[in-house]
Amino acid sequence: MELFIDLALLSMLFATAIGIVLSRDLIAVVMLTGIYGFLSASFFVLMDAVDVAFTEAAVGAGISPLLMLLTLAMVGRKEQANRSRNFFALMLVTITGALLIIGTFGMPEFGSANAPAHTHVAPRYIEQSGAEIGIPNIVTSVLASYRGFDTFGEVAVIFTAGIGVLSLLMLKPAPSQVPLSNGARHHTVLRIVSKILIPPILLFALYVQFHGDYGPGGGFQAGVIFAAGIILYTMFFGVDVAQQVVSSAVLRVLAAFGVLLYGSVGLVSMLNGGEFLNYSVLAENPLTGQHIGILVIELGVGITVAAVMVMIFYCFAGQQSKQVEAEE
């Protein structure tokens, strides 16, 4: 039964990808991209990668399509016909694809017990993470503790991406007289439903944030879920109303604060006589120190991810508002 579900999902993923390539209607492409994100999230759940599924569902099927739709509002929904054919690019893609396929022949079989990933670091994490880190979720142990420095780099990349978007667009808050700032004011049913849905979404984000030690979740997942709730609020109540709740200036401060909070844990670890991001020295009991360090750095991750996601959405929404104002 599981094999049948896997094949069905892979077939739908393949069909959706073909539809994205062949379609010239960009709105249809965005919708298919969202469907592809949902299918990918479902596939991750079947592979017991629920942490990744959370992120894919919120970003791949939620926030990313919204940003694409805002972009289409500025550039139009139809792709311009290109009669020229770049055979050099086609040849390069074909050769690269062939090399990638050939490379897979040297990989171990899927699920093989003799694969390097199953014979080196994975057994150590599985056997010793409980005694060294003291939390049930091995994924959180690896991401937040064993490779905490790498995760710190990922958070810095997300922060840099947000700064890059701000630098490119150089936007100011959308003026209140622009139609976009009215949100879905005339859609009473949608606004009532959103009022019912948004509080549970935000509450679930907090649960994912602070329960990541014991179940699927953590800062990345909680950040995108929290951002999705704020973006949903923005869509139905308007950019101007949303910025009265969470302004762009506050988001910029929060985005930087999350990165600084993460890095500060490493500095405190060093001041206590340990290595950078060695949480064991944060308390007399090493396991307690690990708990404290992981909770704090995951909070920093969640703050930065949520702030950057909402900040980017504000940027695109404000850009679309300016274009509408210019056309009027």
Side-chain angles (χ1 to χ4, degrees):
M1 183 62 181
E2 184 177 352
L3 178 61
F4 173 78
I5 296 176
D6 290 341
L7 292 175
L9 284 175
L10 286 174
S11 300
M12 288 187 287
L13 281 170
F14 180 76
T16 305
I18 294 298
I20 292 173
V21 173
L22 297 179
S23 178
R24 292 296 177 266
D25 187 341
L26 297 181
I27 290 184
V29 170
V30 173
M31 295 297 102
L32 289 173
T33 302
I35 294 173
Y36 191 92
F38 271 121
L39 293 173
S40 300
S42 303
F43 195 71
F44 290 141
V45 171
L46 288 177
M47 297 179 68
D48 294 329
V50 184
D51 301 75
V52 184
F54 276 153
T55 307
E56 179 62 31
V59 177
I63 297 176
S64 293
L66 287 177
L67 296 178
M68 293 178 187
L69 288 174
L70 286 172
T71 303
L72 293 185
M74 295 181 284
V75 302
R77 65 177 294 175
K78 291 295 182 180
E79 181 181 354
Q80 295 182 356
N82 185 7
R83 300 183 181 276
S84 63
R85 296 292 185 268
N86 193 331
F87 292 101
F88 176 76
L90 178 61
M91 183 184 305
L92 182 61
V93 171
T94 303
I95 295 174
T96 304
L99 291 175
L100 289 174
I101 294 174
I102 294 173
T104 60
F105 295 153
M107 297 177 62
E109 295 183 1
F110 180 76
S112 173
N114 297 322
H118 299 156
T119 56
H120 296 288
V121 294
R124 185 183 187 282
Y125 291 153
I126 295 173
E127 295 171 3
Q128 301 184 26
S129 66
E132 294 177 346
I133 310 300
I135 61 176
N137 190 349
I138 300 177
V139 175
T140 300
S141 299
V142 173
L143 295 179
S145 184
Y146 286 117
R147 56 179 294 264
F149 191 83
D150 296 338
T151 304
F152 183 42
E154 295 173 2
V155 177
V157 168
I158 294 174
F159 173 73
T160 305
I163 297 301
V165 172
L166 288 177
S167 301
L168 288 173
L169 298 181
M170 297 296 290
L171 297 176
K172 295 180 180 180
S176 59
Q177 70 270 20
V178 175
L180 181 64
S181 65
N182 293 330
R185 184 165 298 171
H186 302 294
H187 299 275
T188 305
V189 175
L190 293 178
R191 290 166 65 89
I192 293 176
V193 172
S194 66
K195 288 183 178 180
I196 298 174
L197 290 178
I198 291 174
I201 291 174
L202 300 181
L203 184 62
F204 179 67
L206 295 176
Y207 171 82
V208 172
Q209 173 73 58
F210 296 106
H211 198 259
D213 297 355
Y214 301 95
F220 286 104
Q221 295 79 8
V224 295
I225 294 173
F226 199 90
I230 299 298
I231 291 173
L232 183 65
Y233 180 86
T234 305
M235 292 175 60
F236 290 118
F237 295 91
V239 177
D240 56 339
V241 177
Q243 288 188 343
Q244 292 177 6
V245 179
V246 184
S247 67
S248 298
V250 171
L251 290 175
R252 289 193 290 269
V253 172
L254 289 176
F257 174 76
V259 180
L260 292 175
L261 181 62
Y262 197 131
S264 298
V265 176
L267 294 178
V268 173
S269 300
M270 296 178 66
L271 292 175
N272 287 345
E275 298 85 4
F276 186 71
L277 295 177
N278 179 10
Y279 316 132
S280 299
V281 299
L282 297 179
E284 294 183 1
N285 187 338
L287 295 183
T288 302
Q290 288 286 339
H291 276 275
I292 295 173
I294 290 175
L295 284 175
V296 176
I297 66 103
E298 289 283 7
L299 180 61
V301 172
I303 291 173
T304 295
V305 171
V308 169
M309 289 292 179
V310 178
M311 187 168 58
I312 291 176
F313 181 82
Y314 279 0
C315 288
F316 278 87
Q319 185 71 16
Q320 198 272 345
S321 296
K322 284 188 174 182
Q323 180 173 349
V324 172
E325 186 180 33
E327 292 176 353
E328 292 181 349

